[in-house]
């Protein structure tokens, strides 16, 4: 029960952070696709960078074992198709699953419509699963990580990703300051 309570608190905090950043507003999210508003990219890069550095340094300091973390299997074609469907839905509604929950909690009708679409899609895939199961399990590649793809040491990958992320955030800050 404690795990559920902790997960619920993390979910509420995450939703609050998304709403505070304005990410429950579809036009704000759509601004990312038109390269007018980089809030989504800034929030996601900051979150991924924080998580990556937390795992890296937590492992180095003996606070956790990064090898014990679950890395999902990669099924290239099904995940590519899923990504295209996700992207199409994101562009169509202006919301992703997380931000649609925030929009719904904020009373936006777009959030309700997107959540309805999400549930309908999950239901349809569930009903069609016996037919699509062979495709779902096609093109397996095991867990893919940047370290495995590049052959570089873990610390080097972390350093390179950090440099790219911080450089991107600096570029965004410079671009926004020039407006």
């Amino acid at each position: 029960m404690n795990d559920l309570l902790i997960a619920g608190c993390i979910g509420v905090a995450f939703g609050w952070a998304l709403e505070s950043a304005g990410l429950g507003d579809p036009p704000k999210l759509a601004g990312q696709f038109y390269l007018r508003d980089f809030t989504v990219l800034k929030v996601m890069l900051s979150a991924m960078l924080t998580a990556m550095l937390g795992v890296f340094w937590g492992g180095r300091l003996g606070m956790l074992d990064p090898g014990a973390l679950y890395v999902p299997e990669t099924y290239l074609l099904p995940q590519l198709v899923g990504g295209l469907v996700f992207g199409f839905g994101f562009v169509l509604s202006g919301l992703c699953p997380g931000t649609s929950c925030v929009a719904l909690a904020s009373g936006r009708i777009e959030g309700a419509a997107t959540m309805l679409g999400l549930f309908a899609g999950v239901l349809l895939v569930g009903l069609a699963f016996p037919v699509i199961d062979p495709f779902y399990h096609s093109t397996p590649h095991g867990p893919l990580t940047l370290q495995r793809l590049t052959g570089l040491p873990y610390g080097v990958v972390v350093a390179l990703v950090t440099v790219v992320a911080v450089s991107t955030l600096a570029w965004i800050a410079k671009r926004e300051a020039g407006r």
Side-chain angles (χ1 to χ4, degrees):
M1 192 63 180
N2 283 341
D3 290 346
L4 287 176
L5 183 60
I6 291 169
C9 289
I10 291 170
V12 168
F14 183 63
W16 176 83
L18 289 176
E19 179 61 26
S20 296
L23 298 181
D25 183 22
K28 185 163 191 71
L29 273 75
Q32 179 68 60
F33 296 110
Y34 298 110
L35 303 178
R36 287 190 311 249
D37 189 328
F38 292 96
T39 303
V40 174
L41 185 57
K42 291 188 300 187
V43 168
M44 294 308 294
L45 273 178
S46 299
M48 290 185 286
L49 194 57
T50 300
M52 180 190 69
L53 291 172
V55 169
F56 178 78
W57 288 109
R60 289 285 190 254
L61 297 172
M63 297 165 59
L64 63 93
D65 176 12
L69 297 176
Y70 175 72
V71 178
E73 300 283 321
T74 300
Y75 295 92
L76 203 55
L77 287 177
Q79 289 172 347
L80 179 63
V81 169
L84 290 171
V85 170
F86 178 91
F88 178 75
F90 196 151
V91 170
L92 186 65
S93 73
L95 297 164
C96 71
T99 57
S100 65
C101 293
V102 171
L104 178 63
S106 300
R108 292 184 177 94
I109 191 72
E110 303 98 322
T114 303
M115 292 295 295
L116 183 63
L118 286 166
F119 287 125
V122 168
L123 179 64
L124 288 173
V125 168
L127 292 172
F129 199 77
V131 175
I132 64 171
D133 184 51
F135 176 70
Y136 181 83
H137 287 100
S138 68
T139 61
H141 290 280
L144 289 184
T145 63
L146 287 175
Q147 183 181 1
R148 181 171 162 216
L149 286 172
T150 63
L152 294 172
Y154 178 45
V156 171
V157 171
V158 169
L160 289 173
V161 170
T162 301
V163 167
V164 170
V166 170
S167 298
T168 302
L169 291 169
W171 175 82
I172 291 169
K174 184 176 179 182
R175 187 173 194 274
E176 290 177 341
R179 283 189 196 168

